[in-house]
Amino acid sequence: GKVTGRATTRLKLRMPMRVDLKTSQIKISAAARVTGANLPSFAFGQSVESGVFDLKIDTKSLDLKGTARVAGIPAKVKWLERFDPNARIARQYEATAIVGAEDLERFGVTLSPYIQGALALDIAYLKAPKGVAEMVVKAGLKQSSLYLPGFEWRKPSGEDGLAWLSLVVPPVGPVTVKDFDLRTRKLRARGGAGFTAKGGLRRLDLRRFEFGRTKIGATVEIDDKGVYDIALKGDVFDATPFVEKANGDSETTTLPPLRLNGNIGRVWFDPEIPVDGVRAKLIHDGIEWTAADLTGTLGKDRTVALKMSAVGNRRDVKFTSDNAGSALRALDLIDTLRGGKLVLSGTQQKGGDKAPWAGVLKISDFSMVKAPVLARVLTLASLTGITNALSGKGIGFTSLDVPFTYRDGL
């Protein structure tokens, strides 16, 4: 396509009336009103149409301001070009627009399903005479809806939200997100990211993530084979949304190959019972979990540990706790057992996460409380006084051995 439009221009020349006139003594400036400007394949390969600009130019700079449709999106634009080779900023673009999240796909940016709706964008692009450029983006999210997977949280349209991005754009090579900052009423996230030459994510530094009770940081590095190395650290992580989803969702979650190391002060698997001092090492091969080593404490120095490993064509798991009742409540399995030591051992033949587990659950020195069904059974057996024990402080047991087979949640 051709560059088209109309311009009305005023040209000014200033120079002394001398016979020995030098070119450096000639001052030239121009001002123009440009209407109907159409520039095909101009901004990030997108067309600029219906431009109405005020243009000023002299020997020092070019200054353009106005409105146009960029890739069909109405926008206010500014362009400042400095001709001084020693200028700190040689080129500066600014744009303001209301953009639909789906419109950004024309620029190679896909936000769905995490962000949908309209974004109020303020964009500034600054380039030095030599070297890298920097782009700063401010996005108003009030008219956008946000979705945070895993935590299953959504920000509705109409609720305030704001995001900042600072990007480094080198002459050659991938863009780097030097800093991002996302703020809503319930969520705060800040960090940076690096990308591959093809635009894929290479590294994520999540320096701050706060949502509800969760306060953590994380780093994610992706190697050439697509394996994710993840390091989690922080004060608190609320895992209850993930536990609830796992208990109620029969669909298998697709994960990439990953290695995860965690060091978190407190983890909530249950809304009321935390696990403290959690240390975790996990490995997923892209199909199933192949290794796990987790330790923590429940209550006063009551340890809990989970170890899982792949051996040949099977996976072995062992879960132990010095407080069986608290451990089972934290896992949302049973809330009528108190105290006890727990050892769960199981084996799964390889075949994906839906293959059955077979094993034995052993609990020693525990008590049962508030168990009306068990109480009725014991009443029928004419065990005098046991129902009262179960209704109050509970009845003690020395051991429980339960062979089990676990398949598809049953």
Side-chain angles (χ1 to χ4, degrees):
K2 297 181 179 179
V3 176
T4 60
R6 296 183 178 181
T8 303
T9 305
R10 299 188 304 275
L11 178 65
K12 292 183 180 180
L13 292 174
R14 292 184 180 181
M15 54 185 173
M17 301 301 292
R18 299 179 56 171
V19 176
D20 57 347
L21 180 65
K22 299 178 181 179
T23 56
S24 60
Q25 295 176 304
I26 303 175
K27 306 298 181 183
I28 303 175
S29 63
R33 176 74 169 178
V34 181
T35 59
N38 296 299
L39 295 84
S41 189
F42 179 72
F44 301 99
Q46 302 296 323
S47 62
V48 175
E49 301 172 336
S50 305
V52 178
F53 305 121
D54 289 315
L55 173 64
K56 295 180 180 180
I57 186 169
D58 55 28
T59 56
K60 295 182 179 179
S61 64
L62 177 152
D63 190 355
L64 179 146
K65 299 177 183 178
T67 60
R69 298 182 69 88
V70 181
I73 303 167
K76 293 181 180 180
V77 297
K78 295 181 181 180
W79 174 19
L80 178 60
E81 192 85 12
R82 297 180 178 89
F83 304 137
D84 182 356
N86 297 317
R88 189 175 65 87
I89 301 298
R91 180 173 298 166
Q92 180 174 335
Y93 297 132
E94 295 180 21
T96 303
I98 304 295
V99 180
E102 66 279 2
D103 294 330
L104 294 177
E105 293 184 7
R106 305 175 198 173
F107 298 87
V109 178
T110 300
L111 300 178
S112 179
Y114 312 109
I115 301 178
Q116 296 181 325
L119 298 88
L121 294 183
D122 288 303
I123 302 172
Y125 175 91
L126 309 173
K127 188 179 185 306
K130 297 180 181 179
V132 302
E134 184 171 353
M135 182 182 293
V136 179
V137 180
K138 174 186 174 184
L141 304 174
K142 186 169 186 177
Q143 301 307 316
S144 305
S145 61
L146 273 61
Y147 168 57
L148 183 63
F151 292 93
E152 301 307 309
W153 169 78
R154 297 179 186 273
K155 182 197 85 66
S157 175
E159 184 178 294
D160 287 338
L162 185 65
W164 289 86
L165 283 171
S166 177
L167 303 96
V168 176
V169 186
V172 178
V175 170
T176 299
V177 178
K178 185 170 66 174
D179 189 48
F180 67 82
D181 193 345
L182 171 63
R183 305 184 187 192
T184 72
R185 191 173 66 182
K186 295 183 178 180
L187 172 67
R188 174 75 187 275
R190 184 174 184 180
F195 299 88
T196 65
K198 294 183 178 180
L201 181 66
R202 171 67 73 181
R203 179 182 174 88
L204 172 67
D205 293 307
L206 191 58
R207 295 187 284 272
R208 178 179 182 182
F209 180 87
E210 296 183 6
F211 176 75
R213 290 190 289 195
T214 296
K215 295 181 180 180
I216 61 168
T219 60
V220 180
E221 293 188 359
I222 307 172
D223 66 20
D224 295 334
K225 296 181 180 180
V227 179
Y228 286 62
D229 274 308
I230 304 172
L232 293 177
K233 62 179 180 179
D235 296 328
V236 184
F237 182 75
D238 187 354
T240 55
F242 298 88
V243 174
E244 292 171 359
K245 187 175 188 300
N247 289 341
D249 191 354
S250 60
E251 295 183 2
T252 301
T253 302
T254 301
L255 293 175
L258 63 85
R259 296 182 290 263
L260 185 149
N261 287 275
N263 186 345
I264 302 174
R266 171 166 287 187
V267 178
W268 296 87
F269 296 101
D270 176 87
E272 298 180 359
I273 303 173
V275 181
D276 293 326
V278 174
R279 306 292 184 268
K281 293 182 179 180
L282 303 170
I283 299 176
H284 195 280
D285 65 4
I287 300 175
E288 59 190 11
W289 293 103
T290 59
D293 188 351
L294 294 89
T295 60
T297 59
L298 280 167
K300 295 181 180 179
D301 300 324
R302 298 287 188 173
T303 62
V304 60
L306 172 67
K307 294 183 182 295
M308 190 267 288
S309 61
V311 180
N313 292 323
R314 73 182 194 191
R315 290 192 295 176
D316 294 329
V317 65
K318 186 175 183 179
F319 177 64
T320 61
S321 175
D322 290 340
N323 190 330
S326 295
L328 294 174
R329 288 198 303 278
L331 295 173
D332 199 26
L333 295 177
I334 185 171
D335 60 3
T336 58
L337 190 147
R338 297 291 183 269
K341 292 186 177 182
L342 178 152
V343 178
L344 182 150
S345 301
T347 299
Q348 180 190 50
Q349 297 299 320
K350 279 197 171 182
D353 286 333
K354 289 192 175 183
W357 286 89
V360 179
L361 170 65
K362 296 183 178 183
I363 305 176
S364 60
D365 301 323
F366 66 97
S367 61
M368 295 291 294
V369 299
K370 298 179 181 179
V373 174
L374 182 57
R376 285 196 294 272
V377 172
L378 295 175
T379 299
L380 292 174
S382 299
L383 299 176
T384 307
I386 287 181
T387 56
N388 293 332
L390 287 171
S391 302
K393 295 182 179 179
I395 182 170
F397 293 86
T398 57
S399 66
L400 173 69
D401 287 10
V402 182
F404 68 87
T405 300
Y406 181 87
R407 180 199 299 266
D408 292 336
L410 298 173

